[in-house]
Amino acid sequence: MAETAAAGSSVRKRVVVIGGGFAGINAAFELAKLAVDVTLVDRSNHYTFQPLLYQIALAVLSPGDVAQPIRSLVRDHRNIEVLMDEAIGFDLPQRRVQLKTGSLLEYDYLIIATGSTHSYFGKDEWAKFAPGLKTVEDAIEIRRRVLLAFELAERQMMETGVHPALNFVIIGGGPTGVELAGAISDIAKLYMAKDFRHIDPSMAQVLILEGSPRILGAYPEDLQVKACEQLNALGVKLRTEAHVTDVQAGYVMVGDERIDAVVTLWAAGVQASPLGKLLGVETDRRGCVVVDGHLNPPGYPEIFICGDLAHVEQDGKQVPGVAQPAMQMGKYAAKRIGQLVTAPRASGGSGKDALFRYFDKGDMATIGRKAAVAKIEWPFKAHLSGFPAWMAWLLIHIFFLIGFRNRLAVFRQWAWTYLTFNDGVRLITGSQELPGWDMHDARNGVLTTKPLDMGSPKT
Amino acid sequence: MAETAAAGSSVRKRVVVIGGGFAGINAAFELAKLAVDVTLVDRSNHYTFQPLLYQIALAVLSPGDVAQPIRSLVRDHRNIEVLMDEAIGFDLPQRRVQLKTGSLLEYDYLIIATGSTHSYFGKDEWAKFAPGLKTVEDAIEIRRRVLLAFELAERQMMETGVHPALNFVIIGGGPTGVELAGAISDIAKLYMAKDFRHIDPSMAQVLILEGSPRILGAYPEDLQVKACEQLNALGVKLRTEAHVTDVQAGYVMVGDERIDAVVTLWAAGVQASPLGKLLGVETDRRGCVVVDGHLNPPGYPEIFICGDLAHVEQDGKQVPGVAQPAMQMGKYAAKRIGQLVTAPRASGGSGKDALFRYFDKGDMATIGRKAAVAKIEWPFKAHLSGFPAWMAWLLIHIFFLIGFRNRLAVFRQWAWTYLTFNDGVRLITGSQELPGWDMHDARNGVLTTKPLDMGSPKT
């Protein structure tokens, strides 16, 4: 490698990385060590630590705690430049990426790691009534809706004496759905208990609608059972084999049954980034690009597909679209590029020519503020649940958060929140309307001036 | 007071406070001690510590650091209820407030403290090109624009080899204008220096356009001179007696002169909340309600106008529309209501019947990250500038931040930012367009693959 760098910059290869998520950032960190020039393209200016997004959505953490400008992350790696732009197509023969702004970006090696997005199964019109959780903006929107529901209920109670049931419906019983459900339940029962005078936030009901027979389908059965128990303990209701047939402002249809909802959230389906299909190679039904053992689409040894966008089979099973494999794929692709750049002629069959292999350390999902389920594969095998699993979750997530500042900030905020049941990130910004919340017909009353029933005043 | 409470809740008076800013919150805290029922109405769900808003706008602090849910602030005061709604009119004879949702809110005493908003001097169409800074949403929008300007310049430089000059124009040379100017200059020269590869953020130019002959018009002349020196040291340009005649996407007109601007910010004028005029009493040219020594509009001893909305004369001068008088007015009004409730018959002329008097402790404005000007009136008289003034500013602002969590968080974040020149709140959320930034005509090139000029790679 040192020899290559010494050979002069005129032969330095350009690597373009599209997407600054787990796969892209880890690829960039690895490419920083090589004698290559790297252009990291992302349509947003920040890397988002997605496993903690739900904590923004539920007002425990601030956006700045779990997202970090990509430029800051790579600022000390002088061979990496960051371009805030969006890839919208490819010219594979000429090795160029088409950017949304109209320019073409040339590459010698290309890493595509643009991840996945919500899938409403063809019903995109449901999106505005049931937002999903993939970006910081999504998280702020969910926070807005959840907090606003309590505010509007209090207001309606004061103005009319009644309010709609505080039903929160979460469509999808995977890890995100379970985490959102546990957190909403906590917010209502613990953090908001003393904040309202006319409504009782603890009467909020959280319902998970899962289409398959079990929640947390990727987890072993004993942990699925534990998760159900822990959700029940929080008062979260579960309905499995519940097929949602319509989502409208204020309600969800399951078959012919109407389920009222002040807020509906979408945690049901994901589909691959549309970029995969634009490559013109084989994709699976979710739009993931089918790749070989080097993470290359067949016929393109200079292109690597990493993270959620890649369809990788291992031991007869598809590698799951979660953070760990994405990080490992990013690193693998970068190392592989290092090999190709250093010894391009040996790439056909040298000993270095190792295939990608996902090393599974396990998986975990939190359930409220002191429980979780964890399937640990490494450094020992274990199934944990309850508080021990939650502690494991806590430590691992602080460890993997990028950036010292973020770790400190998140740790401090968690300690504060969990010790005091208090928190200061419950800001409602943006619109003050909720779809389906229509109280105008019930209004035009004079607010009662009956004394509040609050015990004796402080003197 | 204790006797009144003991006399039974049937005679408890209802106090409605409109506006949860400095005046309203301080009134509420004081009313919490009385045997009255309080309804605190604000159209947002949070109290905002306005003097630090510019630090959100310039990405040093998170919104959650300087804004706090009003419910959390008053949660332990059980005689206070919070209503997230907007007052849109009054029925003074019946003592009712008209709410936007259509209901009427009855009161025995009314405190109106809805503050002020930007004034574009009748040119409201300028607002979208030159946002002002009054709310958390404003601050996030300004942050978005300032950060996006650097991102778009980097992108355009990569794609076309040129970028428009990074001119930031701030209209208005009061404290907010000066603080924004100093902070943008800091961001460009210190925090962003190492983040970009193609543009030089330190080439950013900040220009303050002030219509009057001097910036910081409310400050003594020696401090105005110091402020100019400190702004010059930061590279901020000043133009006084510069009358803005038009604000468009991408530029500002001063007379016939066109000044290009990638971002224009408005810090020029404020006008009182429109609620003042709806009272049907005398208002001044800015819409402030002219009140007597009890902060009552003439003829309405049960109504108190506090904060920026009040026009109060003292020693022949108008009390300024800043935080301190607002806090003092809120407290005064609440205490006055306490007197009226306890001994209503003595209200005509008892010894308790003190008039409001603004106790001026001084005023300060920061200029970048280590300078400020401070006119201190209490506990001693002094004019400070430079670093001593900045230290004074720091201590006072941490002290007056409400909420232990916020003080800790802000202190930690400041220490981190000022020590490391780094920060993690530089998120761009929302749209990725800037008004006036049109590079489409300059595009459609192939990005050069020339090696980045960045020294040797890390190996």
Side-chain angles (χ1 to χ4, degrees):
Chain A
M1 200 144 50
E3 294 89 314
T4 313
S9 59
S10 61
V11 297
R12 282 169 73 99
K13 299 293 187 183
R14 178 165 296 267
V15 184
V16 169
V17 180
I18 305 176
F22 279 113
I25 283 285
N26 278 280
F29 285 166
E30 204 65 36
L31 291 167
K33 305 172 189 169
L34 302 177
V36 295
D37 292 321
V38 181
T39 305
L40 177 53
V41 183
D42 198 290
R43 59 185 171 186
S44 93
N45 84 322
H46 49 272
Y47 162 86
T48 306
F49 192 77
Q50 286 199 5
L52 292 183
L53 268 186
Y54 84 96
Q55 295 218 344
I56 302 178
L58 284 316
V60 174
L61 295 176
S62 280
D65 294 333
V66 302
Q68 186 118 337
I70 293 171
R71 289 192 187 285
S72 304
L73 291 175
V74 300
R75 68 151 56 124
D76 294 328
H77 303 305
R78 304 301 291 180
N79 64 331
I80 304 181
E81 61 183 12
V82 177
L83 175 63
M84 188 170 131
D85 207 333
E86 192 173 342
I88 58 166
F90 302 97
D91 175 0
L92 299 185
Q94 304 263 8
R95 299 196 177 176
R96 291 168 172 184
V97 179
Q98 171 78 51
L99 299 174
K100 194 176 181 186
T101 46
S103 294
L104 294 162
L105 185 59
E106 294 188 341
Y107 62 84
D108 297 303
Y109 295 97
L110 176 64
I111 296 178
I112 308 177
T114 45
S116 57
T117 181
H118 320 298
S119 165
Y120 288 90
F121 309 127
K123 303 280 194 177
D124 289 345
E125 65 275 20
W126 294 357
K128 62 179 179 291
F129 306 124
L133 182 64
K134 276 281 175 191
T135 65
V136 169
E137 283 92 341
D138 291 342
I140 293 172
E141 174 60 15
I142 291 178
R143 178 177 78 181
R144 188 186 75 80
R145 292 190 186 207
V146 172
L147 297 178
L148 196 54
F150 290 97
E151 289 292 339
L152 296 185
E154 175 87 349
R155 181 166 87 192
Q156 187 158 339
M157 192 67 184
M158 287 170 75
E159 299 186 349
T160 69
V162 292
H163 70 86
L166 287 166
N167 289 338
F168 295 83
V169 173
I170 293 162
I171 302 173
T176 302
V178 165
E179 290 181 333
L180 284 170
I184 293 177
S185 171
D186 270 357
I187 282 203
K189 295 199 168 51
L190 299 173
Y191 306 132
M192 288 199 164
K194 290 172 70 184
D195 278 8
F196 292 87
R197 303 289 184 254
H198 299 270
I199 63 167
D200 179 359
S202 70
M203 297 300 285
Q205 276 291 344
V206 183
L207 171 66
I208 295 176
L209 297 175
E210 166 62 36
S212 76
R214 296 170 189 282
I215 60 161
L216 295 178
Y219 284 70
E221 198 176 325
D222 59 320
L223 290 181
Q224 291 173 350
V225 172
K226 289 284 184 192
C228 290
E229 291 171 10
Q230 290 166 19
L231 286 168
N232 284 336
L234 290 177
V236 173
K237 291 188 179 167
L238 293 178
R239 282 180 59 176
T240 52
E241 298 187 270
H243 298 280
V244 171
T245 51
D246 200 8
V247 179
Q248 290 294 335
Y251 67 92
V252 171
M253 297 299 291
V254 174
D256 291 337
E257 181 189 0
R258 174 183 159 133
I259 298 174
D260 288 327
V262 291
V263 175
T264 306
L265 302 179
W266 187 262
V270 293
Q271 62 193 348
S273 147
L275 272 190
K277 291 206 169 134
L278 297 177
L279 282 170
V281 298
E282 188 192 350
T283 54
D284 68 11
R285 68 183 168 81
R286 283 205 243 175
C288 300
V289 177
V290 179
V291 293
D292 63 22
H294 288 124
L295 306 181
N296 302 135
Y300 295 98
E302 75 280 15
I303 299 178
F304 296 82
I305 314 290
C306 298
D308 290 12
L309 184 59
H311 180 113
V312 182
E313 299 272 351
Q314 181 168 309
D315 307 333
K317 283 198 304 192
Q318 190 182 342
V319 173
V322 295
Q324 273 190 73
M327 294 162 79
Q328 294 176 21
M329 287 185 211
K331 279 185 191 154
Y332 171 86
K335 285 186 174 156
R336 172 84 181 147
I337 289 169
Q339 288 165 13
L340 296 175
V341 167
T342 317
R345 276 162 208 86
S347 67
S350 88
K352 285 181 176 177
D353 193 30
L355 300 180
F356 172 75
R357 188 151 183 90
Y358 170 45
F359 179 63
D360 184 7
K361 295 178 194 157
D363 236 331
M364 44 193 19
T366 50
I367 302 165
R369 66 183 281 280
K370 53 183 187 186
V373 289
K375 178 186 63 137
I376 296 175
E377 299 285 343
W378 184 88
F380 51 85
K381 281 188 189 286
H383 292 177
L384 298 181
S385 67
F387 191 70
W390 183 80
M391 281 301 296
W393 178 88
L394 191 84
L395 293 174
I396 287 171
H397 281 80
I398 287 181
F399 183 78
F400 277 105
L401 255 185
I402 287 177
F404 182 68
R405 177 199 164 278
N406 290 35
R407 274 180 222 172
L408 262 190
V410 167
F411 186 76
R412 177 191 55 77
Q413 183 60 48
W414 281 353
W416 178 257
T417 304
Y418 285 78
L419 289 174
T420 63
F421 302 123
N422 201 344
D423 93 75
V425 205
R426 288 212 299 266
L427 305 185
I428 298 174
T429 53
S431 157
Q432 286 169 7
E433 306 284 326
L434 265 187
W437 194 291
D438 189 10
M439 40 189 287
H440 295 279
D441 49 344
R443 279 193 208 130
N444 302 315
V446 175
L447 270 66
T448 57
T449 51
K450 68 172 163 47
L452 299 169
D453 181 17
M454 298 173 173
S456 57
K458 299 188 174 186
T459 51
Chain B
M1 204 144 48
E3 295 91 312
T4 313
S9 59
S10 60
V11 296
R12 281 169 74 99
K13 299 293 186 183
R14 177 164 295 267
V15 183
V16 169
V17 180
I18 306 176
F22 280 113
I25 284 285
N26 278 280
F29 285 166
E30 203 65 38
L31 290 166
K33 304 171 188 169
L34 303 177
V36 295
D37 293 323
V38 180
T39 304
L40 176 54
V41 183
D42 198 290
R43 60 186 171 185
S44 94
N45 84 321
H46 48 273
Y47 163 85
T48 306
F49 192 77
Q50 287 199 4
L52 292 183
L53 267 186
Y54 83 96
Q55 295 219 342
I56 303 177
L58 284 316
V60 174
L61 296 176
S62 279
D65 294 332
V66 302
Q68 185 118 338
I70 294 171
R71 288 191 189 288
S72 305
L73 291 176
V74 300
R75 68 151 57 122
D76 293 327
H77 302 305
R78 305 301 291 179
N79 63 331
I80 303 180
E81 61 182 13
V82 177
L83 176 63
M84 187 169 132
D85 207 335
E86 191 173 342
I88 56 165
F90 302 96
D91 175 358
L92 298 185
Q94 302 263 8
R95 299 194 177 178
R96 290 168 172 185
V97 178
Q98 172 79 50
L99 298 173
K100 193 177 182 186
T101 46
S103 294
L104 295 162
L105 185 59
E106 294 188 341
Y107 61 84
D108 297 304
Y109 296 98
L110 177 63
I111 296 177
I112 308 176
T114 45
S116 56
T117 181
H118 318 300
S119 164
Y120 289 89
F121 308 127
K123 304 279 194 176
D124 289 345
E125 66 274 21
W126 294 356
K128 63 179 178 292
F129 305 123
L133 182 63
K134 275 283 175 191
T135 65
V136 169
E137 283 91 343
D138 291 341
I140 293 172
E141 174 62 14
I142 290 178
R143 178 177 77 182
R144 188 185 75 78
R145 293 189 185 208
V146 171
L147 297 178
L148 196 54
F150 290 96
E151 289 293 339
L152 295 186
E154 176 87 348
R155 181 165 87 193
Q156 188 159 337
M157 192 68 184
M158 288 170 75
E159 298 187 350
T160 69
V162 291
H163 70 85
L166 288 167
N167 289 338
F168 295 85
V169 174
I170 294 162
I171 302 172
T176 301
V178 166
E179 289 180 334
L180 284 169
I184 292 177
S185 171
D186 270 357
I187 283 202
K189 296 199 168 51
L190 300 174
Y191 305 132
M192 289 199 163
K194 290 174 68 183
D195 279 8
F196 293 87
R197 304 290 183 253
H198 300 269
I199 62 166
D200 179 359
S202 70
M203 297 298 285
Q205 276 292 343
V206 183
L207 171 65
I208 296 176
L209 297 175
E210 166 61 38
S212 76
R214 297 169 187 284
I215 60 160
L216 296 178
Y219 285 69
E221 200 176 324
D222 60 319
L223 291 181
Q224 291 173 350
V225 172
K226 290 282 185 192
C228 289
E229 290 171 10
Q230 291 166 18
L231 285 167
N232 284 337
L234 289 176
V236 173
K237 291 187 180 167
L238 292 178
R239 282 179 59 176
T240 52
E241 299 188 88
H243 297 280
V244 171
T245 50
D246 199 7
V247 179
Q248 291 294 333
Y251 68 92
V252 171
M253 296 299 290
V254 174
D256 290 337
E257 181 189 0
R258 174 181 159 135
I259 298 174
D260 286 331
V262 290
V263 175
T264 306
L265 303 179
W266 187 261
V270 294
Q271 60 192 353
S273 146
L275 272 190
K277 291 205 171 133
L278 297 176
L279 282 169
V281 296
E282 187 192 349
T283 54
D284 68 13
R285 71 187 165 78
R286 282 206 243 174
C288 299
V289 178
V290 179
V291 294
D292 63 23
H294 289 122
L295 306 181
N296 303 135
Y300 294 98
E302 75 280 14
I303 299 178
F304 297 83
I305 314 293
C306 297
D308 290 11
L309 184 58
H311 180 112
V312 182
E313 300 271 351
Q314 182 168 310
D315 306 334
K317 285 199 300 191
Q318 190 182 343
V319 173
V322 293
Q324 274 191 72
M327 295 163 79
Q328 292 177 20
M329 287 185 213
K331 279 186 191 155
Y332 171 86
K335 284 187 175 157
R336 172 85 182 147
I337 289 169
Q339 288 165 13
L340 296 174
V341 167
T342 317
R345 277 163 207 87
S347 68
S350 87
K352 286 181 177 177
D353 193 28
L355 300 181
F356 171 75
R357 187 151 184 92
Y358 169 44
F359 180 63
D360 183 8
K361 295 177 195 158
D363 236 333
M364 45 194 16
T366 50
I367 301 164
R369 65 183 281 278
K370 53 183 186 185
V373 289
K375 177 186 64 136
I376 297 176
E377 299 283 344
W378 183 88
F380 51 85
K381 280 186 191 287
H383 293 178
L384 298 181
S385 68
F387 191 70
W390 183 80
M391 282 301 298
W393 177 88
L394 191 85
L395 294 173
I396 286 171
H397 282 80
I398 287 180
F399 184 79
F400 277 105
L401 258 183
I402 287 175
F404 181 67
R405 177 197 163 280
N406 289 36
R407 274 180 222 171
L408 262 192
V410 167
F411 186 75
R412 177 191 56 74
Q413 183 60 49
W414 281 352
W416 179 257
T417 303
Y418 286 79
L419 289 174
T420 62
F421 301 123
N422 201 342
D423 95 72
V425 205
R426 288 212 297 266
L427 306 184
I428 298 175
T429 53
S431 159
Q432 286 167 7
E433 305 284 327
L434 265 188
W437 195 291
D438 187 13
M439 38 187 289
H440 294 279
D441 48 343
R443 279 193 210 130
N444 302 315
V446 176
L447 269 66
T448 57
T449 51
K450 68 173 163 47
L452 298 170
D453 180 17
M454 302 178 171
S456 58
K458 299 187 175 186
T459 48

